Structures are given as structure tokens and as C-alpha cells.
Amino acid sequence: MALRLLYLIVLRVFGWIALLARSQASKDVEVLVVRHQLAVLRRQVAVPRPSWADRAILSALARLLPRRRRCHLFVTPRTLLRRHADLVKRRWTYPKHGPGRPPIRPAIRALVLRLAAENPGWGYRRIAGQIAGLGRKVSPATVWAILKRAGVDPAPRRSGPTHTSRRVHVLGGTANPTAG
């Protein structure tokens, strides 16, 4: 981009040097022709869209014009000030991030749900520890939120007691505990 700006500046300087060799009458006629072309173009184009190099050259040349001639430019002083403020703002602001925490990746969510389904005795802290062992960093609160959102109960309720594997053995019982 800077190379293009340098090229345009050098091109303008050589154009001005070539103007020194021409007569004053030919320069006046050329100025009148260019002014008329500009008036025609202003009638046809609603909003001109100059490139950044065009804006830089016009800004530099606008300072050389007398104040009464600057009002005829399609680049007003307010436009120049706004563009300068935009450049400063773009240079000195930090990238915008949305509010809140970043979203949970679908792969992490699937891994948490898979570990919870395959290991019903594990709680959210154990699942978070196992995921950390795999090289991924997930907080236990995030694991808890994923399980809650998916409708998965906490670990003790998930594994639940199964009555078929439980037997109750009553030992050392007596019918009359106070009798000696």
C-alpha cells in the first residue's frame, strides 16, 4: 500500500514538472476543462468513493489551496478530521470480544457426556480430572453445567442402588434386648 502511495506521489511531481514547460494559456484551458468534467461527474455520481491513496493525496494537496477554494472539494475539512479520528481509533483500540465466557466446544461436551455415561460412579470433579489428564483444560463447574444441561443426574444418583445385588444380613439380633 505504501508503494502505491509513493508511486502516485512521484507521478504527481513529474506531472507538475511537466506543467512548468507549458504556457499559461494552455494551463488555464486545461483547468477549465477539468472543472467542467468535475461538474459533470458531480451531477452523475451520488457519493464519490475515492481509494485511500486518493484520499491521502487530496488531503495533502488541500492544504496548499486557499481557504475559499477548499469548499469546492468533495472532501470537506470535517471529512478529513473524521478520517483522521478513525485512523487513530483503529490504531489505539483493542479488538472487541463479546461479553461473557467463550462457548463450550461441542467436542468437549460430547466427551463429558460420554465419560458420564460410561462411568456412572464418577462425579463432575472426577470427570474434569480425567479430561485434564487427556490434555484438555475444563473446570469442574463447566462439567457440572454440561451434565445439568443434558439432564444427567449427579454421580451417586446416576449409579443408583440396585436391589438385586444387595442383601441385608442381620447379625446378633435378639427378641428381647433387655433380658440378660
Side-chain angles (χ1 to χ4, degrees), residues 111-176:
L111 181 62
V112 167
L113 293 175
R114 181 178 169 198
L115 286 174
E118 292 176 359
N119 304 293
W122 289 3
Y124 62 92
R125 290 179 192 262
R126 174 83 184 263
I127 293 173
Q130 290 298 321
I131 292 174
L134 295 173
R136 301 288 180 173
K137 191 172 182 182
V138 179
S139 73
T142 302
V143 173
W144 180 83
I146 291 171
L147 293 176
K148 184 174 181 180
R149 228 176 281 131
V152 178
D153 289 331
R157 288 190 217 142
R158 220 176 339 157
S159 60
T162 57
H163 295 292
T164 58
S165 64
R166 310 255 181 201
R167 296 188 186 183
V168 177
H169 297 282
V170 180
L171 301 175
T174 178
N176 191 355

Side-chain angles (χ1 to χ4, degrees), residues 7-162:
Y7 170 74
L8 289 174
I9 290 172
V10 168
L11 194 67
R12 292 292 175 202
V13 169
F14 284 132
W16 292 334
I17 292 173
L19 279 177
L20 294 176
R22 294 174 56 189
S23 69
Q24 187 64 31
S26 69
K27 291 179 198 175
D28 291 341
V29 170
E30 185 177 355
V31 167
L32 289 174
V33 168
V34 171
R35 283 184 183 173
H36 181 69
Q37 287 176 347
L38 183 60
V40 169
L41 288 176
R42 281 186 180 158
R43 286 193 305 253
Q44 293 176 359
V45 179
V47 178
R49 303 218 185 273
S51 69
W52 68 270
D54 295 331
R55 290 192 302 260
I57 289 173
L58 286 172
S59 298
L61 293 176
R63 297 186 66 206
L64 302 175
L65 289 175
R67 282 195 184 271
R68 59 186 169 78
R69 297 292 301 150
R70 288 184 197 170
C71 65
H72 297 293
L73 292 176
F74 62 86
V75 179
T76 63
R78 176 177 286 163
T79 304
L80 294 175
L81 289 174
R82 189 192 73 238
R83 288 179 183 156
H84 178 69
D86 289 345
L87 285 174
V88 170
K89 184 173 34 172
R90 197 176 321 132
R91 169 69 173 97
W92 292 105
T93 56
Y94 294 101
K96 304 280 189 273
H97 296 290
R101 301 181 89 176
I104 301 166
R105 293 187 182 137
I108 296 292
R109 186 177 191 283
L111 181 62
V112 167
L113 293 175
R114 181 178 169 198
L115 286 174
E118 292 176 359
N119 304 293
W122 289 3
Y124 62 92
R125 290 179 192 262
R126 174 83 184 263
I127 293 173
Q130 290 298 321
I131 292 174
L134 295 173
R136 301 288 180 173
K137 191 172 182 182
V138 179
S139 73
T142 302
V143 173
W144 180 83
I146 291 171
L147 293 176
K148 184 174 181 180
R149 228 176 281 131
V152 178
D153 289 331
R157 288 190 217 142
R158 220 176 339 157
S159 60
T162 57

